[in-house]
Amino acid sequence: MILPLFWMLLASFKQNVDITNPDVVFFVPTFQNYVNVLFTNDFLRYGLNSFIIATAATFIALAIGLPAAYSISKYKMKSVSGFILLARVIPGISLLIPWYYIFAQIGLVGSFRALIITHIFVSLPLIVAIMSSFFDGMSTELEEAGQIDGLTVAGTFFRITLRLAMPGVATSAILSFIFSWNNFLFALILSGKNTTTLPAALYQFISYLGVDWGGLMAASVVITVPVMIVTIFLQKYIVAGLTAGATKG
C-alpha cells in the first residue's frame, strides 16, 4: 500500500526524463513541479473549489440523510433503505447524460450548484447506510424517557438521539467529504472554468503530445495530502463510528 504512494512522492521531485528512464537510480531533486502546480496552474484555486463543493455537499447530505436514516431505523423501513442504497449500485456515468441535459436546460452547467447536487447523490446513500445501522444499535430508553417528559419525536431526535450519535455523524461526514473530494467523473463533465476541482484539473498535465509526469505526480500529492492528514488525525473517530454502528445491539 505504501509503495505506490512513495513512488508518487519520489516522482514528484523528478524531471520527466528521470521518471521515464528506468535506469535512473540517483537524480537531482527539483521543486519546479510543485511551483508549476501551485502557481502556474493555479491549483490553490482548484483546491478551494474542491473544498467548497465537498463541504457544501456533505452538510446538505447530512441535513437530509440524518433524519432519513433515523426514520428508516425507528419505523423499520428496510425496503426504503435498500432503495436508497441502489444509488450506490447505479454507475455514475449512466446519469451524466440526463444530468448534463437537465443542467444545460436550466443554465447550471459549470456552476457550483450542479456539482454540489451531483456530489450529494454520492454522499447521501453513504450517510443513510452508516447512520441507519448506527441508530439501529442505539438504546431507545433515553428516547422514551424524553417523550415521557413531553418531547416530540423531532425534539427527541435533535435533543437526545443526535447528540448520542455524534461518533456516527463524524464518521459519515468524514467519509462523505473524502468521497466528494476525490470525485473525478462528475467534475470532469459538469465543471466550468471557475469551478474546476482538483481531480479534474489533473487533465491539464495530459495532452496529445505527451504527459507531464512530474507535474502529474506533484498534483497527485497535492490532492492526496489533505485527505491523508484528515484520515490520520480523525482515524479514531472513523473507526469508533463504524465499529459502534456495526456491533451495538
Side-chain angles (χ1 to χ4, degrees):
M1 293 176 61
I2 296 176
L3 183 60
L5 296 175
F6 177 74
W7 187 91
M8 178 180 69
L9 179 63
L10 201 64
S12 68
F13 293 101
K14 294 181 179 181
Q15 299 181 13
N16 283 341
V17 65
D18 296 327
I19 298 174
T20 56
N21 188 351
D23 296 328
V24 174
V25 178
F26 302 100
F27 62 94
V28 178
T30 176
F31 291 93
Q32 189 60 43
N33 294 324
Y34 286 96
V35 173
N36 293 337
V37 166
L38 296 176
F39 301 104
T40 305
N41 290 282
D42 202 11
F43 258 62
L44 293 176
R45 180 166 60 86
Y46 302 146
L48 179 61
N49 292 343
S50 291
F51 179 79
I52 292 172
I53 293 169
T55 302
T58 297
F59 275 105
I60 296 174
L62 284 173
I64 300 172
L66 291 177
Y70 179 71
S71 299
I72 290 171
S73 174
K74 184 175 179 62
Y75 299 106
K76 310 301 179 184
M77 298 185 293
K78 298 302 180 182
S79 59
V80 177
S81 178
F83 179 77
I84 293 176
L85 286 176
L86 283 176
R88 299 293 299 173
V89 179
I90 299 173
I93 194 170
S94 64
L95 302 173
L96 274 178
I97 294 177
W99 268 343
Y100 186 87
Y101 178 80
I102 293 172
F103 290 144
Q105 294 297 311
I106 58 180
L108 290 183
V109 173
S111 67
F112 282 109
R113 285 173 289 179
L115 292 170
I116 291 171
I117 291 171
T118 55
H119 284 213
I120 291 173
F121 177 83
V122 177
S123 302
L124 186 58
L126 177 69
I127 291 173
V128 171
I130 294 175
M131 292 308 301
S132 59
S133 64
F134 193 93
F135 288 135
D136 284 342
M138 293 181 61
S139 173
T140 60
E141 295 178 355
L142 290 177
E143 294 182 11
E144 293 170 354
Q147 292 176 0
I148 291 175
D149 289 339
L151 290 176
T152 62
V153 174
T156 302
F157 170 69
F158 286 108
R159 300 183 65 175
I160 297 177
T161 307
L162 198 57
R163 296 184 180 183
L164 296 175
M166 288 311 296
V169 175
T171 300
S172 57
I174 294 167
L175 294 178
S176 172
F177 182 89
I178 291 174
F179 276 114
S180 182
W181 178 274
N182 291 331
N183 190 282
F184 168 74
L185 185 60
F186 300 156
L188 180 65
I189 304 300
L190 298 174
S191 65
K193 180 180 179 181
N194 297 321
T195 57
T196 302
T197 61
L198 284 173
L202 288 177
Y203 248 38
Q204 295 182 4
F205 299 97
I206 303 175
S207 66
Y208 177 78
L209 298 177
V211 179
D212 180 5
W213 289 108
L216 187 61
M217 293 301 101
S220 300
V221 172
V222 171
I223 295 174
T224 306
V225 165
V227 175
M228 291 184 64
I229 292 174
V230 170
T231 304
I232 290 172
F233 282 96
L234 301 180
Q235 180 181 6
K236 62 179 181 179
Y237 298 104
I238 298 175
V239 174
L242 291 176
T243 304
T247 60
K248 281 189 177 181

